[in-house]
């Protein structure tokens, strides 16, 4: 039987015959997968490495809370820092430094700005756009281990922006501590540049008052055979969101990223950590630990590691541990690992959230230690492991005392309802 219409081959698409559509249904676009323009695609960004980077606020759409990097955050409290129009002028600070460490104000267009990274979200872009001054911290290459401590406690309640650039010169050694206190409604960018052969420790301490709202985006660029130890300590504040990222873009670059946090009732603490292995023979270690107590205490940890195609010989590991002390808390922990080359030394990640280990408590109580004291020792032992990585004894003692105070206040808050019931 012959026909004037040729029979299509199996590898050719066949157009539907007229009238064959079912109830008018057409092929769906499913999120705009086939959009010719990348900017027009509606597919959400799936990995940290694909996020757009820009210092322009208009490059980022308004935050709705449905975005993957904002889905946990209390957007209503953060909204004043997302709309732009922040005060980016210079602010008072107190600096304690050695001779080989300098701190000074620079112009907003200082050439050092942008050397470590660019904003990846709207909050960082709002602060980037609003800056009127840049706080420049320099650790010089001397024979000594230089140190500088910057205390910031006078931001007030107005929506503000800040920009800091920390530079460790080639073969320099030192520690920089940013000590945040008082009240604040602050969005900031912190750039960290570690030159070839340098060894630098940066500590970001959030010891805010209970009403503070703080968003901090911290970028680091680590040079050849250089080392960065980055430590985030978040204890105070109402909403604290610190997102550190490290780019290991030169051979032999090395980073250790630590975090310790303690969330009380109604407090929100978030950390989104990113390590980008973008050169041969780099090493990364991430270890964040947190404790939660009180109704509504909420912590978020998202750890992203990218081992790029140039990351031959990478040695990387990240982990997060959360200790739940009371009912009514929530700890979200999401480790992510993206590997683009198989020629690596090793890579891994781990996450765990749980209550007290009853065996540890039993062991201590069996040796005559009261239950309350045993619990205190377990929590301190859990968090002190990270605190002791800082390498500054005076600061470590202060933080241990702060954790003990958090525990004491938590016991009082938990016991209060029972006391009130007894009085009634």
């Amino acid at each position: 039987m012959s026909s004037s219409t040729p029979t299509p081959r199996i590898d050719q698409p066949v157009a539907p015959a007229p009238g064959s559509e079912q109830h008018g249904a057409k092929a769906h676009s499913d999120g705009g997968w086939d959009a010719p323009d990348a900017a027009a695609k509606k597919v959400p960004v799936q990995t940290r490495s694909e996020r757009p980077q820009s210092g322009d606020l208009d490059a980022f759409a308004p935050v709705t809370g449905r975005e993957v990097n904002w889905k946990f955050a209390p957007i209503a409290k953060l909204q004043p820092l997302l709309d732009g129009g922040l005060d980016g002028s210079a602010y008072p600070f107190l600096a304690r430094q050695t001779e080989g460490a300098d701190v000074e104000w620079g112009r907003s267009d200082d050439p050092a700005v942008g050397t470590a990274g660019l904003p990846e979200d709207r909050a960082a872009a709002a602060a980037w756009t609003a800056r009127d001054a840049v706080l420049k911290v320099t650790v010089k290459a001397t024979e000594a281990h230089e140190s500088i401590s910057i205390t910031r406690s006078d931001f007030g309640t107005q929506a503000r922006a800040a920009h800091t650039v920390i530079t460790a010169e080639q073969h320099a050694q030192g520690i920089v501590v940013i000590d945040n206190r008082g009240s604040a409604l602050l969005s900031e960018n912190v750039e960290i540049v570690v030159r070839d052969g340098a060894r630098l420790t940066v500590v970001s301490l959030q010891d805010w008052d209970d009403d503070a709202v703080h968003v901090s985006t911290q970028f680091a660029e680590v040079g050849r055979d250089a080392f960065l130890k980055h430590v985030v300590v978040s204890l105070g504040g109402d909403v604290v969101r610190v997102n550190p990222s490290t780019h290991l873009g030169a051979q032999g670059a090395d980073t250790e990223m630590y975090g310790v946090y303690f969330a009380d009732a109604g407090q929100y603490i978030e950390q989104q950590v990113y390590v980008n292995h973008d050169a041969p023979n780099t090493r990364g270690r991430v270890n964040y630990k947190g404790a939660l107590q009180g109704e509504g205490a909420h912590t978020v940890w998202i750890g992203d590691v990218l081992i790029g195609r140039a990351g031959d010989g990478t040695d990387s590991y990240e982990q997060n541990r959360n200790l739940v002390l009371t009912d009514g808390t929530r700890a979200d922990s999401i480790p992510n690992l993206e590997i683009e080359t198989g020629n690596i030394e090793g890579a891994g990640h781990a996450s765990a959230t749980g209550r007290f280990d009853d065996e540890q408590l039993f062991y201590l109580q069996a040796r005559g230690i009261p239950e309350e004291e045993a619990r205190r020792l377990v929590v301190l032992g859990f968090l002190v492991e990270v605190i002791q990585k800082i390498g500054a004894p005076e600061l470590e003692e202060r933080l241990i005392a702060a954790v003990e105070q958090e525990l004491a206040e938590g016991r009082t808050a938990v016991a209060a309802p029972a006391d009130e019931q007894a009085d009634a």
Side-chain angles (χ1 to χ4, degrees), residues 317-394:
Y317 190 81
E318 65 170 348
Q319 70 173 358
N320 175 229
R321 298 284 187 266
N322 296 290
L323 184 59
V324 176
L325 305 180
T326 66
D327 293 333
T329 66
R330 172 178 173 178
D332 291 287
S333 181
I334 306 172
N336 300 304
L337 181 58
E338 184 180 0
I339 304 175
E340 297 179 346
T341 178
N343 186 24
I344 62 175
E345 290 292 327
H349 57 194
S351 170
T353 299
R355 295 182 176 275
F356 277 104
D357 187 335
D358 291 336
E359 290 186 1
Q360 289 181 331
L361 290 178
F362 175 79
Y363 177 86
L364 294 172
Q365 289 181 265
R367 280 149 183 79
I369 299 175
E371 180 180 357
E372 185 174 297
E373 177 66 10
R375 289 180 178 274
R376 185 186 72 86
L377 291 174
V378 170
V379 176
L380 283 176
F382 177 73
L383 297 178
V384 164
E385 177 195 0
V386 176
I387 293 174
Q388 290 179 336
K389 298 290 186 180
I390 295 174
E394 183 177 342

Side-chain angles (χ1 to χ4, degrees), residues 67-373:
E67 300 83 357
V68 67
N69 57 325
W70 291 103
K71 64 181 180 180
F72 297 108
I75 302 302
K77 293 183 178 181
L78 294 172
Q79 197 63 55
L81 301 176
L82 301 173
D83 294 335
L86 307 178
D87 178 3
S89 60
Y91 52 83
F93 66 88
L94 177 65
R96 185 177 61 183
Q97 63 206 80
T98 55
E99 292 185 2
D102 290 339
V103 56
E104 61 180 352
W105 284 110
R107 293 165 50 97
S108 62
D109 60 350
D110 192 283
V113 172
T115 53
L118 289 171
E120 295 180 354
D121 61 38
R122 188 171 175 86
W128 193 280
T129 304
R131 72 180 187 278
D132 288 334
V134 176
L135 189 64
K136 300 173 60 178
V137 181
T138 304
V139 178
K140 299 179 180 179
T142 65
E143 295 182 357
H145 187 274
E146 307 298 344
S147 67
I148 181 167
S149 178
I150 300 170
T151 301
R152 309 186 301 181
S153 59
D154 297 308
F155 284 111
T157 57
Q158 180 184 0
R160 296 196 58 120
H163 198 111
T164 305
V165 178
I166 302 171
T167 304
E169 295 182 347
Q170 190 171 2
H171 300 300
Q173 300 181 66
I175 180 172
V176 176
V177 178
I178 301 177
D179 188 350
N180 297 309
R181 310 181 190 183
S183 296
L185 181 56
L186 173 67
S187 180
E188 68 169 337
N189 292 291
V190 178
E191 298 189 62
I192 304 167
V193 180
V194 187
R195 306 286 187 200
D196 294 351
R199 299 184 65 85
L200 178 67
T201 297
V202 175
V203 182
S204 179
L205 171 57
Q206 287 63 244
D207 197 12
W208 299 109
D209 289 349
D210 292 341
D211 62 344
V213 176
H214 180 210
V215 177
S216 180
T217 302
Q218 306 190 9
F219 325 88
E221 182 70 36
V222 183
R224 184 184 180 93
D225 296 326
F227 172 73
L228 170 66
K229 181 190 294 184
H230 187 274
V231 185
V232 176
V233 181
S234 296
L235 301 175
D238 182 22
V239 177
V240 175
R241 187 176 194 260
V242 181
N243 295 343
S245 63
T246 301
H247 181 227
L248 305 176
Q251 181 166 324
D254 189 353
T255 187
E256 294 179 3
M257 304 182 73
Y258 298 104
V260 60
Y261 47 95
F262 200 121
D264 287 316
Q267 189 177 13
Y268 178 85
I269 297 177
E270 178 176 346
Q271 296 104 163
Q272 295 189 27
V273 187
Y274 180 36
V275 181
N276 183 357
H277 295 269
D278 198 22
N281 304 316
T282 59
R283 174 183 174 272
R285 291 291 184 273
V286 177
N287 187 10
Y288 273 61
K289 287 190 170 185
L292 303 86
Q293 68 179 6
E295 186 70 29
H298 187 186
T299 64
V300 176
W301 180 87
I302 301 175
D304 290 287
V305 172
L306 169 64
I307 302 176
R309 297 185 179 183
D312 293 348
T314 290
D315 180 8
S316 184
Y317 190 81
E318 65 170 348
Q319 70 173 358
N320 175 229
R321 298 284 187 266
N322 296 290
L323 184 59
V324 176
L325 305 180
T326 66
D327 293 333
T329 66
R330 172 178 173 178
D332 291 287
S333 181
I334 306 172
N336 300 304
L337 181 58
E338 184 180 0
I339 304 175
E340 297 179 346
T341 178
N343 186 24
I344 62 175
E345 290 292 327
H349 57 194
S351 170
T353 299
R355 295 182 176 275
F356 277 104
D357 187 335
D358 291 336
E359 290 186 1
Q360 289 181 331
L361 290 178
F362 175 79
Y363 177 86
L364 294 172
Q365 289 181 265
R367 280 149 183 79
I369 299 175
E371 180 180 357
E372 185 174 297
E373 177 66 10

